[in-house]
Amino acid sequence: MNTDKLLSDYKNIFNNNAERLFFSPGRINLIGEHTDYNGGNVFPCAISLGTYAAFGSRDDNTVQMYSANFPDQGIISFQTNELEFNKKDNWANYPRGIMYYLVKHGYKFDHGFNLFINGNLPDGAGLSSSASIELLMGTILNTVFDFGIDQIDLVKMGQEDENNYIGVNSGIMDQFAVGMGKKDQAILLDTNTMDYQYAPVQLENHVIVIMNTNKRRELADSKYNERRSECEKALERLQTKLDIKSLGDLTIDEFDQNSYLINDDTLIRRARHAVFENQRTLKAIKKLKQNDLVGFGKLINASHISLHYDYEVTGMELDTLVESAWRQPGVLGARMTGAGFGGCAIAIVEKNQVEDFKQNVGETYRNIVGYDADFYIAEISDGPKELLKVAK
Ligand code: GLA
């Protein structure tokens, strides 16, 4: 996004000059889906699509926020000591929740500010526009007010905001991927220990294509919470005999030997996905490190199959995109990414096949689903950062 445009858009809305510009990415997850709330491994990366902001300080204690993505909402105003959730303020609750938790953790705002936001992440597409804006706000406030907060603590505050303020019971993956992103690297995170390592994503002559179903994926309305509680139930039943804290503690053999304890067809399938996907993620990172891209792609395909049959979170739109992607020449692997039930899928596609790929998969999707899918090339990018400080 053009920085001059951000500055002039800010000026049009607030009638004075912005002082600083910031950016925060979105994310895709390469593999390790629905494992983060099961104490398992995830392997996401930040992407160059994300959320931009222009910031200007104020002398009073008023906060004014405007999003070019929600122009109908106009300017949303509140005082720095009015930080309770307010349903009518819609999208502004995401950044306001970060302010709420900063104050709760003992940080203080000695003045207000104006904030102009403009994002190029498709809204509701499962590329973590909410984590993007949470970490954007955390980064802006940490920088401008000099709070000196560790990046990991900002990540945790983002999750606190999402879970307790917004009320979506998600895991840590999205905020972590956004907050800790590094150019051309994916992050293997063990959500049990919070240990993590970066791994370069070198796909030789391939790129990652993001395929958007354009079917909105609303976490709060979806079966996300149902899946979480199914996994918790399965875990409780396993714990009658096993000394484990999460499904992520189990190897495949341990699961096979003890799955009878779960004694329920649906719950066994949910737990099986969590256990196998967790192990599959570790295998996938090994393949990537060995430069075995074909092996990596096969594990990506297997992840989708498990999410379809065992976890049942794919749905007709994602399946249509992924199954059509599998049939195209030059494709190493494809799967849904994120929570599922709509949103986006990814495919690893040979560079010189990308145009045909988009054409063919796009046509199949339109014929079967009845409307268009969108395609973007993923650029793996850094986490949140300041783009510009205007000289006074
Ligand atoms: C959503 C959640 C994440 C994670 C994924 C599924 O993106 O926000 O915490 O659970 O779904 O892997």
Side-chain angles (χ1 to χ4, degrees), residues 27 29 32-37 42 126 128 162 168-175 217 219 224 336 338-340:
R27 69 98 188 85
N29 186 20
E33 213 65 86
H34 288 279
T35 48
D36 65 345
Y37 51 84
V42 293
S128 290
E162 187 85 39
V168 178
N169 207 10
S170 53
I172 189 80
M173 173 173 77
D174 300 349
Q175 287 77 15
R217 177 213 47 71
L219 269 192
Y224 187 86
M336 56 158 269

Short mmCIF file of all heavy atoms in Angstrom, two decimals, residues 27 29 32-37 42 126 128 162 168-175 217 219 224 336 338-340, ligand 1:
data_model
loop_
_atom_site.label_atom_id
_atom_site.label_comp_id
_atom_site.label_asym_id
_atom_site.label_seq_id
_atom_site.Cartn_x
_atom_site.Cartn_y
_atom_site.Cartn_z
N ARG A 27 -1.71 -14.18 8.15
CA ARG A 27 -0.95 -15.44 8.20
C ARG A 27 -1.61 -16.54 7.39
O ARG A 27 -2.82 -16.53 7.15
CB ARG A 27 -0.74 -15.93 9.64
CG ARG A 27 -1.99 -16.44 10.36
CD ARG A 27 -2.16 -17.96 10.35
NE ARG A 27 -3.44 -18.40 10.88
CZ ARG A 27 -4.55 -18.48 10.16
NH1 ARG A 27 -4.55 -18.15 8.88
NH2 ARG A 27 -5.68 -18.89 10.71
N ASN A 29 -1.31 -20.99 7.46
CA ASN A 29 -0.70 -22.09 8.20
C ASN A 29 -0.33 -23.17 7.19
O ASN A 29 -1.18 -23.62 6.42
CB ASN A 29 -1.69 -22.63 9.23
CG ASN A 29 -1.05 -23.68 10.12
OD1 ASN A 29 0.17 -23.74 10.24
ND2 ASN A 29 -1.88 -24.50 10.75
N GLY A 32 -0.43 -28.38 10.45
CA GLY A 32 -0.62 -28.36 11.90
C GLY A 32 -1.91 -27.61 12.19
O GLY A 32 -1.90 -26.54 12.78
N GLU A 33 -3.04 -28.21 11.72
CA GLU A 33 -4.32 -27.49 11.82
C GLU A 33 -5.17 -28.08 12.94
O GLU A 33 -5.27 -29.31 13.07
CB GLU A 33 -5.05 -27.62 10.48
CG GLU A 33 -5.88 -26.43 10.13
CD GLU A 33 -5.03 -25.18 9.91
OE1 GLU A 33 -4.54 -24.99 8.78
OE2 GLU A 33 -4.86 -24.42 10.87
N HIS A 34 -5.77 -27.20 13.70
CA HIS A 34 -6.59 -27.60 14.86
C HIS A 34 -5.75 -28.41 15.86
O HIS A 34 -6.25 -29.34 16.48
CB HIS A 34 -7.86 -28.36 14.43
CG HIS A 34 -8.86 -27.45 13.79
ND1 HIS A 34 -9.72 -26.65 14.52
CD2 HIS A 34 -9.12 -27.18 12.49
CE1 HIS A 34 -10.47 -25.94 13.69
NE2 HIS A 34 -10.13 -26.24 12.45
N THR A 35 -4.50 -28.05 15.95
CA THR A 35 -3.62 -28.70 16.94
C THR A 35 -3.25 -27.72 18.05
O THR A 35 -2.80 -28.13 19.11
CB THR A 35 -2.32 -29.19 16.27
OG1 THR A 35 -1.80 -28.13 15.47
CG2 THR A 35 -2.54 -30.40 15.40
N ASP A 36 -3.44 -26.40 17.81
CA ASP A 36 -2.88 -25.43 18.78
C ASP A 36 -3.61 -25.42 20.11
O ASP A 36 -3.03 -25.06 21.13
CB ASP A 36 -2.74 -24.02 18.19
CG ASP A 36 -4.05 -23.34 17.83
OD1 ASP A 36 -5.10 -24.02 17.76
OD2 ASP A 36 -4.04 -22.11 17.64
N TYR A 37 -4.89 -25.82 20.12
CA TYR A 37 -5.60 -25.90 21.41
C TYR A 37 -5.56 -27.34 21.94
O TYR A 37 -6.25 -27.67 22.90
CB TYR A 37 -7.03 -25.37 21.29
CG TYR A 37 -7.82 -25.98 20.15
CD1 TYR A 37 -8.48 -27.19 20.28
CD2 TYR A 37 -7.87 -25.33 18.92
CE1 TYR A 37 -9.19 -27.74 19.24
CE2 TYR A 37 -8.58 -25.88 17.86
CZ TYR A 37 -9.24 -27.08 18.03
OH TYR A 37 -9.95 -27.63 16.99
N VAL A 42 2.30 -26.42 15.37
CA VAL A 42 1.76 -25.71 14.22
C VAL A 42 2.94 -25.20 13.39
O VAL A 42 4.05 -25.07 13.91
CB VAL A 42 0.84 -24.53 14.62
CG1 VAL A 42 -0.42 -25.02 15.30
CG2 VAL A 42 1.57 -23.54 15.53
N GLY A 126 -10.25 -16.01 6.81
CA GLY A 126 -9.44 -16.98 7.55
C GLY A 126 -7.95 -16.73 7.41
O GLY A 126 -7.14 -17.64 7.61
N SER A 128 -6.55 -14.40 9.24
CA SER A 128 -6.26 -13.75 10.53
C SER A 128 -6.25 -12.23 10.50
O SER A 128 -5.33 -11.60 11.04
CB SER A 128 -4.94 -14.27 11.12
OG SER A 128 -5.09 -15.58 11.52
N GLU A 162 -8.65 -11.68 22.03
CA GLU A 162 -9.52 -12.53 21.19
C GLU A 162 -10.41 -13.44 22.06
O GLU A 162 -11.60 -13.57 21.83
CB GLU A 162 -8.61 -13.39 20.29
CG GLU A 162 -9.32 -14.19 19.24
CD GLU A 162 -9.58 -13.38 17.97
OE1 GLU A 162 -8.70 -12.61 17.55
OE2 GLU A 162 -10.67 -13.56 17.41
N VAL A 168 -13.88 -15.15 21.29
CA VAL A 168 -13.65 -16.29 20.40
C VAL A 168 -12.56 -17.16 21.03
O VAL A 168 -11.47 -16.69 21.32
CB VAL A 168 -13.20 -15.83 18.99
CG1 VAL A 168 -12.92 -17.02 18.11
CG2 VAL A 168 -14.27 -14.95 18.36
N ASN A 169 -12.91 -18.44 21.21
CA ASN A 169 -12.08 -19.33 22.01
C ASN A 169 -10.92 -19.94 21.22
O ASN A 169 -10.73 -21.15 21.24
CB ASN A 169 -13.00 -20.43 22.54
CG ASN A 169 -12.49 -21.02 23.82
OD1 ASN A 169 -11.55 -20.49 24.41
ND2 ASN A 169 -13.09 -22.13 24.22
N SER A 170 -10.16 -19.12 20.47
CA SER A 170 -9.13 -19.66 19.59
C SER A 170 -7.84 -19.96 20.34
O SER A 170 -7.65 -19.51 21.47
CB SER A 170 -8.85 -18.66 18.47
OG SER A 170 -8.56 -17.41 19.04
N GLY A 171 -6.93 -20.68 19.68
CA GLY A 171 -5.62 -20.99 20.26
C GLY A 171 -4.65 -19.83 20.03
O GLY A 171 -5.05 -18.73 19.65
N ILE A 172 -3.35 -20.11 20.18
CA ILE A 172 -2.35 -19.05 20.12
C ILE A 172 -1.75 -18.88 18.71
O ILE A 172 -1.04 -17.93 18.45
CB ILE A 172 -1.22 -19.34 21.15
CG1 ILE A 172 -0.24 -18.16 21.32
CG2 ILE A 172 -0.42 -20.60 20.78
CD1 ILE A 172 -0.73 -17.08 22.20
N MET A 173 -2.07 -19.82 17.80
CA MET A 173 -1.35 -19.84 16.52
C MET A 173 -1.40 -18.51 15.75
O MET A 173 -0.36 -18.03 15.27
CB MET A 173 -1.88 -20.94 15.61
CG MET A 173 -1.27 -20.88 14.22
SD MET A 173 -1.71 -22.24 13.18
CE MET A 173 -3.36 -21.81 12.71
N ASP A 174 -2.58 -17.93 15.61
CA ASP A 174 -2.71 -16.77 14.72
C ASP A 174 -1.89 -15.58 15.22
O ASP A 174 -1.15 -14.95 14.47
CB ASP A 174 -4.18 -16.35 14.59
CG ASP A 174 -5.03 -17.47 14.03
OD1 ASP A 174 -4.45 -18.45 13.54
OD2 ASP A 174 -6.26 -17.36 14.08
N GLN A 175 -2.06 -15.28 16.50
CA GLN A 175 -1.33 -14.14 17.07
C GLN A 175 0.18 -14.40 17.03
O GLN A 175 0.97 -13.50 16.78
CB GLN A 175 -1.77 -13.88 18.51
CG GLN A 175 -3.15 -13.26 18.64
CD GLN A 175 -4.28 -14.27 18.44
OE1 GLN A 175 -4.06 -15.47 18.47
NE2 GLN A 175 -5.48 -13.78 18.23
N ARG A 217 -15.95 -17.17 6.84
CA ARG A 217 -15.73 -18.11 7.92
C ARG A 217 -15.77 -17.33 9.23
O ARG A 217 -14.85 -16.66 9.61
CB ARG A 217 -14.36 -18.77 7.73
CG ARG A 217 -13.97 -19.73 8.82
CD ARG A 217 -12.49 -19.72 9.06
NE ARG A 217 -11.97 -18.38 9.16
CZ ARG A 217 -12.18 -17.55 10.17
NH1 ARG A 217 -12.92 -17.92 11.16
NH2 ARG A 217 -11.63 -16.34 10.18
N LEU A 219 -15.60 -17.47 12.92
CA LEU A 219 -15.22 -18.42 13.97
C LEU A 219 -16.30 -18.54 15.04
O LEU A 219 -16.65 -19.63 15.47
CB LEU A 219 -13.95 -17.92 14.67
CG LEU A 219 -12.61 -18.39 14.13
CD1 LEU A 219 -11.53 -18.05 15.11
CD2 LEU A 219 -12.63 -19.89 13.88
N TYR A 224 -16.27 -24.31 15.54
CA TYR A 224 -14.94 -24.30 16.15
C TYR A 224 -15.00 -24.72 17.62
O TYR A 224 -14.27 -25.61 18.06
CB TYR A 224 -14.35 -22.90 16.02
CG TYR A 224 -12.91 -22.78 16.46
CD1 TYR A 224 -11.87 -23.05 15.57
CD2 TYR A 224 -12.58 -22.39 17.75
CE1 TYR A 224 -10.54 -22.92 15.96
CE2 TYR A 224 -11.26 -22.27 18.14
CZ TYR A 224 -10.25 -22.53 17.25
OH TYR A 224 -8.94 -22.41 17.64
N MET A 336 -6.76 -27.06 3.00
CA MET A 336 -7.36 -25.88 3.64
C MET A 336 -6.36 -25.31 4.63
O MET A 336 -5.46 -26.02 5.11
CB MET A 336 -8.67 -26.23 4.34
CG MET A 336 -8.55 -27.34 5.36
SD MET A 336 -9.87 -27.32 6.61
CE MET A 336 -9.11 -26.27 7.90
N GLY A 338 -6.15 -22.67 8.24
CA GLY A 338 -6.94 -21.94 9.24
C GLY A 338 -8.05 -22.81 9.80
O GLY A 338 -7.95 -24.04 9.80
N ALA A 339 -9.12 -22.18 10.26
CA ALA A 339 -10.16 -22.92 10.99
C ALA A 339 -11.00 -23.83 10.09
O ALA A 339 -11.52 -24.84 10.53
CB ALA A 339 -11.07 -21.94 11.70
N GLY A 340 -11.13 -23.46 8.81
CA GLY A 340 -11.96 -24.26 7.90
C GLY A 340 -13.38 -23.71 7.82
O GLY A 340 -13.60 -22.54 8.14
C1 GLA B 1 -8.20 -20.56 13.88
C2 GLA B 1 -7.76 -20.28 15.31
C3 GLA B 1 -6.38 -20.87 15.57
C4 GLA B 1 -6.33 -22.35 15.17
C5 GLA B 1 -6.89 -22.55 13.76
C6 GLA B 1 -7.01 -24.01 13.41
O1 GLA B 1 -7.38 -19.89 12.98
O2 GLA B 1 -7.74 -18.90 15.55
O3 GLA B 1 -6.05 -20.70 16.94
O4 GLA B 1 -6.99 -23.14 16.11
O5 GLA B 1 -8.18 -21.96 13.63
O6 GLA B 1 -5.75 -24.57 13.32
#
